[in-house]
């Protein structure tokens, strides 16, 4: 298994390398960040000076070589706009995004799977039909719209929850988190609900379909015939068997939620790293764009690895050595 | 009953403690606390709370004393600033000429700045402090803008900032200024927290604690105000401004901003990109070299309609490159009246009875409603026979292309403290060595304008200088160096219990908010 994990990580290094090159070339093709960052009053000499100061006067291959050399030493460069190490900037914002993504996934899994199970077990009941109809809405409503409506209802009309921001944070092992204080939780609730809605609907539908399929299988009939309690039939036999596709989707969605929570972060002014990426693209802050995507790819690789390991735990037929990525 | 009154008293206390706080929603991200790192609005806004400069501008963007109580030119190339006595930094030490000299030197030592402040310090070739409260700045040639330039150089404490890194400023260690607020905390991408500096030399602000929330998303900023998360916001989206103005719980303030929008027309190259006849074939010559064509463009544009329909009234039709309150605004120039018939006649007279085709380039995320305004202009041009195709790009892609000369007709917005400064960047014959015409995308060139602006910038007498600046503006605009569109309005919205004196320079200052 260690060998397997090691090979996966080695493959990801190649991906990281290729991606950094693509990002470098594409940002270079768009233009020169100094043209956007420099103050309008600056004259040509000042602009020259700024370009030199940021090392943008050198040929592209040389800039890339410098980047590679520094990256090998663990330094992904200084942000043009913030003048602090790009990786530090991302790590500083990461807890906010991870917390938001974690809370959203918790809501999605905690509600989606039970709702899906319920709908799968009693497909003809009115509640099941309501769940399915609701999930279609959750699927098709755009995130930014849902976010704005939630803000309008819960913050502006009812005044129950704050409209934006992260609120006060508490340090947990040196990492600032919101969920430990009441005020922090109040700030977390709306963005997490917005972000969770799509995943919740997805998981509910997936679970329902799996449950319906599993219920018709022989092993479920046999379990029932053996006289096992419904609770055990559903909780152990059905659930465990439908979990493999669900874990796959959770893994994929967790990655995308972390990397692209941007819409939600923007609407709720949540100081996460998704906003950082958009701002960085807006001013062509290349070190931040490159570092961000490197971090994201690494995250995806790690999540996929965990998902693969989870398969083997859930389904003894899966052998990691054979599961060639 | 007793318990109730105690509860009421506690409630009143809570309200009054709360009343001493002010939370403001800012429209743009603050990137750094270092006041000399990057010359952009949001960073300068924070710096104006914590620091002061030798000179300041009032709400009409006119120069007024700051840390310097007076200044004068003792000879054509030497400016002398007399510092206020007894001004205290947040750490209790006194401001002296040493701190001023240090602050003027510091921008040139930061070599990773993407928008350096050296623009304002480079003209100074020598400086000295004859005593603790006097600073003399020498320029190589007579230069009237030194007091204006000093409005952009924040004065830091030499003791706190010597050898300080960016991190020292962001953490607050080096954030020692003389400004009305002390630095408390900076949470990047989220907020800046400030506390009142009780010993400020000028005004005593009404608010003990100030939180500047960073809310760049327009609907989110408005929602934060509506929900009571913040007490006031800046840059109210035009659609929301009308709605908020009608809401009895809120007040809005607006004032003509120093940002003027205009179109640049390529007047130098023989075949500028994107300019063809109506069937796409190249034209024999560049039509914009003919002043009649430029005038026709100006007549074709219905500025009043743009102001009313695109900007919902939050703009003024423009005739100048600077807004009405600004130094050097030429009152005699009037916005060109909408006259499509006249425009068509002028085009026919210039040899284009069937018009021609252009690409009209504009950013789509830089100015208020920029792309919509460009679309409206394109339709107005179509009515006089000029087929304009709008190419709208995000600022990140637009400005590099525009500066590389890829557009013949392009939209640009500009803010300046004075007409001569605006003309220096926008209408002088481009000359990189002298720093002239850096943003003169159309490469307009008139020796008379060049000479007037150079003379104005070297004229120390403010009255004479303003006359020269006005004359230069009049000449350039009569020749349609660019086609002015409108002056934007800066807008604020706040709880109805607050009042703000709106500013032409668009700054949102916590210390300028008052309870009503």
């Amino acid at each position: 298994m260690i060998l397997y994990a090691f090979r996966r990580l080695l493959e990801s290094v190649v991906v990281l390398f290729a991606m950094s090159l693509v990002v470098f070339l594409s940002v270079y093709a768009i233009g020169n960040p100094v043209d956007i960052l420099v103050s309008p009053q600056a004259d040509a000499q000042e602009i020259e000076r700024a370009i030199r100061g940021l090392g943008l006067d050198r040929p592209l291959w040389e800039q890339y070589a410098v980047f590679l050399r520094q990256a090998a030493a663990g330094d992904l460069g200084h942000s043009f706009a913030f003048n602090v190490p790009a990786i530090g900037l991302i790590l500083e914002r990461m807890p906010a995004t991870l917390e938001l993504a974690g809370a959203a996934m918790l809501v999605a899994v905690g509600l989606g799977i039970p709702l899906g199970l319920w709908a799968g077990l009693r497909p003809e009941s009115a509640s099941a039909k309501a769940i399915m109809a609701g999930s279609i809405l959750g699927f098709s409503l755009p995130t930014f719209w849902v976010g704005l409506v939630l803000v309008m209802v819960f913050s502006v009309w009812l005044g129950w929850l704050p409209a934006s921001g992260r609120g006060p944070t508490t340090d947990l092992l040196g990492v600032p988190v919101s969920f430990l204080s009441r005020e922090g939780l109040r700030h977390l609730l709306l963005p997490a609900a917005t972000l969770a809605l799509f995943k919740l609907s997805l998981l509910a539908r997936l679970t329902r379909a799996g449950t319906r399929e599993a219920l018709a299988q022989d092993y479920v009939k046999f379990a029932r015939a053996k006289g096992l309690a419904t609770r055990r039939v559903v909780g152990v036999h059905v659930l465990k068997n439908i979990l493999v596709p669900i874990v796959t989707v959770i893994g994929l969605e967790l990655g995308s939620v972390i990397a692209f929570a941007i819409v939600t972060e923007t609407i709720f002014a949540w100081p996460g790293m998704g906003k950082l990426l958009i701002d960085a693209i807006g001013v062509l802050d290349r070190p931040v764009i490159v570092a961000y995507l490197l971090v994201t790819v690494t995250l995806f690789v790690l999540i996929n690895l965990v998902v693969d390991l989870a398969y083997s735990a859930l389904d003894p037929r899966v052998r990691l050595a054979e599961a060639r990525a | 009953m007793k318990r109730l009154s105690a509860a009421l008293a506690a409630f009143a206390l809570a309200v009054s403690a709360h009343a001493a706080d002010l939370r403001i929603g800012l429209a743009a991200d603050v990137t750094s606390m270092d006041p000399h790192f990057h010359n952009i609005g949001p960073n300068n806004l924070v710096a104006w709370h914590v620091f002061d400069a030798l000179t300041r501008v009032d709400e009409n963007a006119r120069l007024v004393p700051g840390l310097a109580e007076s200044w004068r030119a003792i000879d054509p190339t030497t400016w002398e600033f007399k510092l206020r006595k007894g001004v205290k930094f947040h750490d209790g030490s006194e401001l002296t000429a040493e701190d001023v000299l240090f602050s003027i030197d510091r921008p040139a030592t930061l070599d990773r700045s993407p928008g350096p402040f050296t623009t304002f310090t480079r003209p100074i070739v020598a400086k000295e402090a004859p005593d603790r409260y006097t600073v003399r700045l020498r320029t190589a040639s007579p230069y009237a803008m030194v007091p204006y330039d000093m409005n952009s150089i924040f004065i830091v404490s030499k003791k706190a900032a010597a050898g300080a890194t960016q991190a020292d400023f962001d953490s607050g260690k080096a954030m020692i200024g003389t400004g009305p607020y002390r630095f408390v905390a900076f949470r990047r991408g989220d907020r800046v927290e400030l506390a009142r500096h009780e010993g400020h030399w000028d005004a005593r602000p009404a608010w003990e604690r100030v939180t500047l929330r960073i809310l760049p998303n327009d609907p989110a900023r408005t929602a934060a105000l509506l929900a009571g998360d913040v007490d006031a916001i800046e840059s109210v989206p035009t659609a929301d401004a009308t709605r908020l103005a009608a809401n009895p719980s809120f007040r809005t303030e607006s004032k003509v901003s120093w940002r003027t929008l205009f179109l640049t027309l390529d007047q130098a190259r023989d075949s500028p990109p994107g300019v063809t006849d109506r069937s796409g074939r190249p034209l024999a010559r560049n039509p914009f070299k003919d002043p009649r064509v430029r005038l026709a463009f100006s007549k074709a544009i219905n500025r009043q309609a743009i102001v009313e329909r695109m900007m919902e009234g939050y703009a003024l039709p423009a005739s100048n490159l600077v807004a009405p309150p600004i130094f050097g605004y030429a009152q005699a120039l009037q916005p060109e009246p909408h006259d499509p018939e006249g425009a068509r006649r002028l085009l026919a007279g210039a040899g284009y009875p069937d018009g021609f085709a252009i690409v009209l380039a504009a950013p789509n995320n830089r100015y208020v409603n920029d792309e919509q305004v460009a679309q409206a202009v394109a339709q107005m041009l179509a009515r006089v026979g000029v087929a304009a195709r709008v190419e709208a790009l995000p600022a990140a892609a637009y400005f590099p292309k525009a500066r590389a000369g890829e557009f013949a007709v392009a939209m640009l917005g500009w803010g300046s403290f004075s007409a001569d400064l605006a003309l220096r960047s926008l209408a002088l014959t481009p000359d990189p060595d002298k720093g002239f015409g850096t943003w003169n995308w159309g490469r307009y060139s008139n020796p008379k304008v060049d000479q007037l602006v150079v003379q104005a910038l070297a004229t120390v007498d403010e009255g004479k200088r303003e006359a020269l600046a006005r004359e230069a503006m009049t000449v350039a605009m009569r020749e349609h160096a660019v086609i002015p569109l409108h002056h934007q309005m800066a807008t604020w919205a706040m709880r109805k219990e607050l009042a703000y004196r709106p500013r032409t320079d668009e700054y949102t200052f916590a210390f300028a908010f008052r309870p009503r």
Side-chain angles (χ1 to χ4, degrees), chain B residues 225-226 231 243-252 493-498 516:
Chain B
L225 177 71
L226 290 172
D231 302 305
R243 213 159 47 91
L244 281 168
N247 187 328
S249 309
F250 299 98
R251 286 160 40 76
T252 56
M494 63 210 80
R495 288 191 297 119
K496 67 166 188 303
E497 296 85 3
L498 299 177
R516 286 214 303 157

Side-chain angles (χ1 to χ4, degrees), chain B residues 9-335:
Chain B
F11 179 71
L13 258 178
V15 167
S16 67
H18 175 80
D21 295 357
L22 184 70
R23 301 155 305 164
I24 301 174
L26 301 184
D29 200 4
V30 180
T31 59
S32 168
M33 287 294 110
D34 185 335
H36 299 142
F37 167 59
H38 189 185
N39 183 17
I40 46 168
N43 288 16
N44 295 347
L45 182 153
V46 173
W48 274 117
H49 285 85
V50 179
F51 302 95
D52 284 306
L54 290 183
T55 56
R56 300 191 288 182
V57 295
D58 65 8
E59 59 269 19
N60 288 321
R62 295 293 179 135
L63 208 62
V64 293
L67 290 178
E69 50 187 9
S70 68
W71 56 89
R72 66 194 176 99
I74 51 176
D75 64 58
T77 57
T78 309
W79 284 88
E80 184 181 271
F81 293 81
K82 287 278 179 205
L83 300 187
R84 254 168 238 284
K85 294 191 175 114
V87 172
K88 290 279 195 295
F89 280 106
H90 300 156
D91 64 359
S93 58
E94 196 193 6
L95 167 88
T96 67
E98 276 299 297
D99 299 301
V100 175
L101 296 187
F102 173 80
S103 301
I104 295 173
D105 275 332
R106 191 164 176 273
T109 64
L110 307 175
D111 55 3
R112 286 190 50 89
S113 167
F117 281 90
T118 44
T119 314
F120 309 108
T121 57
R122 203 158 41 92
I124 298 164
V125 292
K127 52 190 171 308
E128 56 174 356
D131 62 62
R132 269 170 81 82
Y133 302 107
T134 309
V135 175
R136 288 200 189 125
L137 305 177
R138 236 179 281 282
T139 54
S141 55
Y143 185 52
M145 298 310 292
V146 172
Y148 283 82
D149 286 351
M150 285 304 109
N151 165 61
S152 294
I153 300 298
F154 295 102
I155 305 302
V156 297
S157 151
K158 182 178 180 182
K159 198 172 73 182
T165 61
Q166 167 101 19
D168 292 331
F169 278 96
D170 288 349
S171 73
K173 206 179 120 204
M175 285 291 277
I176 305 294
T178 58
Y181 279 93
R182 279 184 294 113
F183 172 88
V184 175
F186 171 43
R187 276 161 61 190
R188 220 190 304 276
D190 185 27
R191 68 184 64 201
V192 178
E193 289 172 23
L194 305 166
R196 187 164 61 201
H197 167 44
E198 302 295 343
H200 190 249
W201 55 272
D202 187 21
R204 187 167 183 276
W207 319 103
E208 246 165 61
R209 303 190 70 84
V210 166
T211 306
L212 305 171
R213 293 271 312 272
I214 295 157
L215 301 169
N217 182 259
D218 283 345
R221 195 162 62 254
T222 307
L225 177 71
L226 290 172
D229 284 11
V230 294
D231 302 305
I233 58 171
E234 61 176 8
S235 301
V236 189
T238 45
D240 296 335
T242 317
R243 213 159 47 91
L244 281 168
N247 187 328
S249 309
F250 299 98
R251 286 160 40 76
T252 56
E253 294 281 5
S254 63
K255 184 176 176 85
V256 61
S257 145
W258 63 340
R259 200 179 304 279
T260 305
L261 264 82
F262 51 88
L263 297 178
T264 62
L265 305 176
D266 189 326
Q267 299 159 38
R269 284 177 288 184
D270 285 325
S271 46
V275 181
T276 60
D277 72 4
R278 294 187 66 109
S279 53
R281 283 188 301 269
L283 292 172
R285 57 187 192 278
N286 177 350
F288 301 121
K289 287 189 176 183
D290 188 331
R292 285 171 295 179
V293 174
R294 305 202 295 265
L295 176 60
F297 266 53
S298 196
K299 279 182 182 296
I301 294 167
N302 185 350
R303 294 176 177 77
Q304 197 57 41
I306 292 177
V307 165
E308 278 166 21
R309 312 228 182 96
M310 304 292 132
M311 304 296 291
E312 311 246 355
Y314 287 97
L316 283 183
S319 59
N320 269 249
L321 278 177
V322 290
I326 305 272
F327 184 92
Y329 176 80
Q331 205 82 49
L333 294 168
Q334 288 300 314

